[in-house]
Amino acid sequence: MTDEETPTSRTTGTINVKRGLAEMLKGGVIMDVVTPEQAKIAEDAGAVAVMALERVPADIRVDGGVARMSDPEMIEGIKATVTIPVMAKARIGHFVEAQILESLGVDYVDESEVLTPADEKHHIDKWAFTVPFVCGATNLGEALRRISEGACMIRSKGEAGTGNVVQAVRHLRTILGDIKKIGQADSAEIFDWAKQLQAPVSLVQEIAETGKLPVPMFCAGGLATPADAALVMQLGAEAVFVGSGIFKSENPEPRAKAIVEATTNFNNPEILAKVSRGLGGPMTGIGMDELNIKLEDRGW
Amino acid sequence: MGVLALQGAFESHIRILNSLGIEAIAIRDPESLDSVSGLVIPGGESTAISMLLESNQLRKPLEERLSDGMPVFGTCAGMIMLSTEILDGREDQTPLAAIDITVKRNAFGRQIDSFESQLDIKGFTYPFPSIFIRAPIVESVGESVNVLAKLDDQIVLCGNETTLVASFHPELSNDLRIHELFVSMTI
């Protein structure tokens, strides 16, 4: 060992490394998959990552009961099939599920309201992990609380498993609207904003200075068509999650590819028209007044 | 200058180029590619960017510009795309062959193995803060390639007359030196 140089020091799990992966996913589509075969379809269609889970939100809705972290065997099967990043969901507050997912080597953990919460008061302390976390938010205060707990990516929650984009739009507009207002606030008003949002003053000050969240802001929950993806991108989302919308549709392969192309070309109606053609039926979808469970109310 | 904006960290590159006083535009179609004299291919997912290059009808015009000697800078996924050979890539992933290198994807492991390091670079007086995210490495280089930095024994920054490629993400560090180096190649 005498003539070997000391290896260069490497630091894992830093904010730059965790937020950096989210930066790399920008402009892309992250797709929910429940089998290695679906994961392959997603990768072939140009997904930037897959979310490995046992049931898509639409089925979780129908089945009811307690929804938990997926079987490690199933996550490993998906990891072995694709070269793109693999994400997986842990229940809100269930830090042991998160520890298990980290030990499996998943690339991002989603502390998700789609699963049944394990703790009614506490989210996971995400700083304690090397693996980065994404969390959902319906408003800016929620987003900043998750960031203060260590989340490195925020996704607007929308209402998962509905095929209805209305809540995704509501949450995105709420979060981005408040960011704009904070940009106009004077230094005294920043403190009131922090109080109203129940969020750390330092994060509110950072938003006032930069005009954006300190982490990438993606959109999820109810997206079903290429036009839905382009809509939320035009509203200011930096990437999209599509759950039930792809594999609950009539013809998943072309729809997945079309949503990828629409997310890149979100500002180009001609391309959007072209990719929206002949995709077969989208998932049926549910109106908000037909819902018996609102997943977005989980988490605080 | 253009930054390929199909997917990935293109905004970070645009911001850095702007801070160097360079006008940079997002490239998503062949017309805007025609209008630039140099190109950055950002980090992102190389499989997705490769697919979108085809669907946005950019692949052929880009290959033509590259063979005409347009200066190009690729980081991470961009490096993979500019290589000559990709080990353990997808079968349908054909690189652009702007620089004679063989790359290996995700060479350091998964996200939990992603890291930061201080990198010694040829010609730089102090180390560069480098961020490696599910990073590729250069397995081998041809004679035309100038190796600029190694992390331990692995090549992570290299170039030829018109091409610069990095395994890591200078666009995420607050250090402009590697972008300055590329800009100097375009003059």
Side-chain angles (χ1 to χ4, degrees), chain A residues 1-174:
Chain A
M1 297 293 280
T2 46
D3 51 357
E4 266 186 40
E5 285 184 46
T6 324
T8 317
S9 138
R10 303 175 186 189
T11 320
T12 58
T14 63
I15 277 197
N16 282 334
V17 161
K18 288 174 166 179
R19 292 183 183 173
L21 179 56
E23 293 288 329
M24 297 310 134
L25 303 176
K26 281 183 176 177
V29 183
I30 300 150
M31 299 183 191
D32 278 3
V33 297
V34 301
T35 62
E37 293 71 35
Q38 289 187 354
K40 185 78 178 49
I41 291 172
E43 187 180 58
D44 288 348
V48 291
V50 290
M51 177 73 71
L53 67 176
E54 236 152 45
R55 293 174 286 170
V56 291
D59 289 333
I60 292 174
R61 255 178 210 294
V62 174
D63 298 351
V66 176
R68 310 177 178 88
M69 175 189 82
S70 299
D71 187 328
E73 201 169 277
M74 173 268 190
I75 294 170
E76 279 173 339
I78 288 172
K79 270 176 56 199
T81 308
V82 293
T83 63
I84 55 178
V86 175
M87 304 185 176
K89 289 183 193 289
R91 282 180 266 179
I92 289 173
H94 205 315
F95 51 87
V96 173
E97 285 187 349
Q99 290 164 3
I100 292 170
L101 293 174
E102 180 174 63
S103 82
L104 292 172
V106 306
D107 297 296
Y108 240 93
V109 174
D110 184 0
E111 186 182 19
S112 177
E113 70 283 359
V114 167
L115 306 183
T116 311
D119 190 319
E120 293 179 322
K121 206 166 174 189
H122 308 96
H123 280 252
I124 297 171
D125 170 13
K126 294 164 273 286
W127 296 113
F129 289 78
T130 304
V131 67
F133 281 74
V134 50
C135 288
T138 58
N139 58 54
L140 184 57
E142 208 178 343
L144 295 182
R145 287 192 293 279
R146 298 295 84 77
I147 293 168
S148 69
E149 295 156 2
C152 290
M153 180 201 301
I154 292 295
R155 55 176 172 73
S156 56
K157 280 182 184 172
E159 188 57 35
T162 60
N164 188 338
V165 78
V166 65
Q167 294 300 87
V169 169
R170 180 201 299 266
H171 300 155
L172 205 54
R173 279 198 184 274
T174 304

Side-chain angles (χ1 to χ4, degrees), chain A residues 31 44-46 252-262 275, chain B residues 51 55:
Chain A
M31 299 183 191
D44 288 348
E253 284 98 336
R255 180 166 298 270
K257 193 158 188 297
I259 292 176
V260 168
E261 289 184 46
V275 303
Chain B
M51 197 211 88
S55 59

Side-chain angles (χ1 to χ4, degrees), chain A residues 182-195:
Chain A
I182 288 172
Q184 313 281 315
D186 65 33
S187 54
E189 289 168 330
I190 297 292
F191 294 98
D192 187 50
W193 268 105
K195 193 175 81 184

